[in-house]
Amino acid sequence: MFDGLIMFGHSIASFATPTTILYALVATLVGLIIGALPGLTATMGVALMTTMTLTLQPNDAILILICTYVGAIYGGSRSAILLNIPGTPASAASCLDGYALARQGLAGRAMGIATSGSVLGTWIGMLFLATLTPVLGEAALKFGAYEFFWLAVFGVVISGNLTGNDPLKGWIAGFLGLFIATIGQEGLYAHDRFTFGYHDLSGGVALLPALVGAFGFAEVLTVMRDKPRDVILNSFDAVIPRIRDVLQYWRTIIRSGVIGTGIGIIPGVGEDVAAWSSYAAARRASKEKEQFGKGSVEGLMAAETGDNACVPGSVIPVLTLAVPGSAPAAVLLAAMLIHGVQPGPLIMVNSPQFVFDVVAMMLIASIAILIYGLTLTRLLVKILQVPQTLVMPVIFVLCVVGSFALASRVFDIYVMLFFGIVGFLLRRLNYPMAPLVLGIVLGDLLDKNLRRGLVLSDGDLTPFFTRPISVVLFLLIAATILLNIPVFHRTAVGLWTHASASFRRAQRPEQPTSRRPHD
């Protein structure tokens, strides 16, 4: 513990330079603007910023990306409160009470609540990031090829199950991503797969152009198709967060922070699920249930705390397992690999200082959003009035330039355009994008560890089902799939209801039988 505090202090000191602070402030502001503009997601922001940080030192580049990530998740609350449109999917739950407060003339108070919840949520997640990463890093040392294979499958399955309304569509998107990851030369013998004679495909599909297309160009097409909404620009009340709002709902803040961090650790789930889960938990525990959806301070606080706590939580599996906890974290993982950082089970052995560098980056980003939330709210609101017809061409140009800058290949621009069109069509068909991204990121992990495991066992599949951790992951995957099949779901619900009723009956004290006295 003491060593961790020393390393954290060293990380803070290393970032206390004018250049680094300027990087953090500018990146957080860019992220906030991206998050505030409807249709521009945190994933797109981190992907575009990654292409612009290729020449920077690794720590500076990762700091810029984390500040962009945190700023974008926070910035989504601006349009959620003023437009009733979530700036990012993570802010969808904030629309319910944030917009209701704005319609009551309390837009300033709503944004103050969002600011305090975002900062406190990031701090709670940051605390877990500092304490859980070393523990999970040690546990991850027990993972071999067999366990990493099932972990990759688990990430795709659970992501498909928890994102979107139809698990089957989520799984289809996830396994489409896994298929895309197999294009190119395989890892052991360099044999071409699914290249169809095109030499440009031999190196595989580059991750960043694919992500820039799926989240950048696809967003451009989506936003340009939809009609803009009017902004509520009533006179603002005070935007300074009220101490009473924080102290009154301290239980909600802690609960939402823990829930958000926990959901962030689950591979591929993301901030939107964290926000809705925190909101639902707050509503169940609240004494003011009837206020939720009508301008509840507690509801808005829960949603904003939960989605922002998910950001540090989603970085935990990135550092310990090299498995992203969310779509933006997937881009962050790719950026770390590009800049020579090797996340995974050995990170606490090879680069323990880097873990606390990331914790310090989260702290700096949270301070930056606090500063902007208290000082620039009125100015940032004006950004929402910028016509989308002016913003989208700029985003498209950045998508093209960013895709080309990675390897100076025109082919990467074609990859970006292709994935942008595919992403747009998938969204129109209500397919979630997070499983697709996670499938592309985890495909390499799954493929290499499947082949490595088969080589180690001479083609025997038995070790995949007999090692303890492998068995647990396999059973979790099987249970997740079976519980989404109606017959098994109804059976499980029936068994659970019967077991619960039996347990309650067993807990009741036995009533003595009354007998009529004999005459």
Side-chain angles (χ1 to χ4, degrees):
M1 181 68 179
F2 185 67
D3 291 340
L5 290 174
I6 292 176
M7 286 192 283
F8 179 66
H10 183 271
S11 297
I12 292 292
S14 67
F15 289 120
T17 65
T19 303
T20 304
I21 293 172
L22 179 63
Y23 281 153
L25 290 174
V26 172
T28 306
L29 181 60
V30 170
L32 204 161
I33 293 171
I34 289 172
L37 290 171
L40 307 186
T41 64
T43 309
M44 189 207 71
V46 178
L48 288 178
M49 293 298 284
T50 299
T51 63
M52 299 178 188
T53 57
L54 299 175
T55 59
L56 296 179
Q57 293 296 317
N59 268 18
D60 289 339
I62 303 303
L63 171 66
I64 288 172
L65 299 181
I66 285 179
C67 288
T68 304
Y69 186 2
V70 173
I73 297 299
Y74 166 68
S77 63
R78 309 294 95 171
S79 54
I81 292 169
L82 298 172
L83 287 173
N84 200 26
I85 302 175
T88 62
S91 301
S94 301
C95 291
L96 298 179
D97 294 295
Y99 188 67
L101 285 168
R103 289 179 66 86
Q104 297 167 20
L106 299 174
R109 185 185 182 191
M111 287 190 279
I113 294 164
T115 300
S116 55
S118 298
V119 172
L120 292 172
T122 305
W123 287 353
I124 292 172
M126 189 182 74
L127 178 63
F128 283 106
L129 175 62
T131 55
L132 288 184
T133 301
V135 177
L136 291 180
E138 259 184 62
L141 290 173
K142 299 178 182 177
F143 278 50
Y146 311 102
E147 288 78 15
F148 275 112
F149 166 78
W150 286 119
L151 183 66
V153 176
F154 175 73
V156 173
V157 169
I158 200 70
S159 174
N161 188 54
L162 295 178
T163 55
N165 298 320
D166 188 348
L168 182 58
K169 287 186 175 181
W171 295 336
I172 291 173
F175 283 98
L176 176 62
L178 290 177
F179 166 72
I180 292 168
T182 63
I183 296 173
Q185 294 180 345
E186 52 87 20
L188 296 182
Y189 303 106
H191 181 74
D192 281 356
R193 298 179 301 187
F194 308 114
T195 58
F196 305 105
Y198 291 99
H199 295 297
D200 286 321
L201 286 174
S202 296
V205 175
L207 177 62
L208 277 180
L211 294 181
V212 169
F215 284 93
F217 185 40
E219 291 288 353
V220 171
L221 296 175
T222 302
V223 171
M224 294 300 288
R225 184 183 184 277
D226 297 334
K227 294 181 179 179
R229 301 272 300 267
D230 294 331
V231 185
I232 293 181
L233 290 176
N234 297 336
S235 57
F236 280 93
D237 52 329
V239 298
I240 305 296
R242 299 184 183 183
I243 300 298
R244 182 169 61 86
D245 288 339
V246 176
L247 296 180
Q248 183 178 358
Y249 300 114
W250 65 271
R251 290 186 181 86
T252 300
I253 293 170
I254 294 174
R255 184 196 311 114
S256 300
V258 173
I259 291 173
T261 306
I263 288 176
I265 295 173
I266 301 172
V269 178
E271 293 79 15
D272 51 343
V273 177
W276 284 113
S277 300
S278 301
Y279 186 86
R283 185 173 185 175
R284 282 195 300 269
S286 177
K287 298 177 182 178
E288 308 168 348
K289 293 182 177 65
E290 68 283 352
Q291 293 297 320
F292 278 66
K294 301 176 182 177
S296 168
V297 171
E298 185 177 8
L300 180 59
M301 182 74 78
E304 285 298 308
T305 304
D307 63 8
N308 282 271
C310 185
V311 175
S314 65
V315 176
I316 294 175
V318 168
L319 295 176
T320 56
L321 298 170
V323 173
S326 65
V331 186
L332 188 62
L333 172 60
M336 289 181 182
L337 296 174
I338 289 171
H339 285 285
V341 179
Q342 293 295 328
L346 292 176
I347 193 164
M348 291 307 299
V349 177
N350 297 332
S351 308
Q353 184 64 54
F354 180 73
V355 173
F356 293 94
D357 287 346
V358 173
V359 177
M361 293 172 193
M362 290 287 178
L363 178 61
I364 294 169
S366 67
I367 294 173
I369 62 174
L370 178 62
I371 293 171
Y372 290 134
L374 298 181
T375 59
L376 296 182
T377 293
R378 297 172 190 271
L379 180 62
L380 289 170
V381 165
K382 300 295 183 183
I383 295 171
L384 296 176
Q385 294 179 295
V386 177
Q388 293 176 342
T389 51
L390 297 180
V391 176
M392 292 304 122
V394 175
I395 297 299
F396 175 69
V397 171
L398 291 176
C399 291
V400 173
V401 173
S403 300
F404 179 77
L406 184 64
S408 299
R409 293 196 311 169
V410 176
F411 177 74
D412 287 335
I413 299 177
Y414 297 145
V415 170
M416 182 273 295
L417 294 173
F418 173 78
F419 277 92
I421 295 171
V422 170
F424 173 73
L425 294 176
L426 288 176
R427 289 175 194 215
R428 301 311 304 172
L429 296 172
N430 295 320
Y431 282 85
M433 296 303 295
L436 175 69
V437 172
L438 197 70
I440 297 174
V441 173
L442 295 182
D444 186 59
L445 180 73
L446 182 147
D447 181 41
K448 286 182 178 177
N449 285 286
L450 172 62
R451 298 173 65 81
R452 190 176 293 125
L454 291 173
V455 168
L456 291 173
S457 64
D458 289 329
D460 184 10
L461 291 173
T462 304
F464 285 95
F465 301 94
T466 55
R467 291 164 64 100
I469 299 177
S470 296
V471 171
V472 172
L473 290 173
F474 170 71
L475 292 176
L476 286 173
I477 294 166
T480 302
I481 295 173
L482 289 175
L483 288 176
N484 281 281
I485 298 174
V487 174
F488 291 101
H489 179 75
R490 287 194 297 269
T491 304
V493 170
L495 290 173
W496 175 258
T497 305
H498 178 71
S500 300
S502 300
F503 179 75
R504 285 195 296 269
R505 283 196 300 269
Q507 292 296 103
R508 291 180 193 151
E510 221 175 291
Q511 299 294 331
T513 306
S514 58
R515 295 183 179 179
R516 182 179 295 178
H518 295 288
D519 292 331

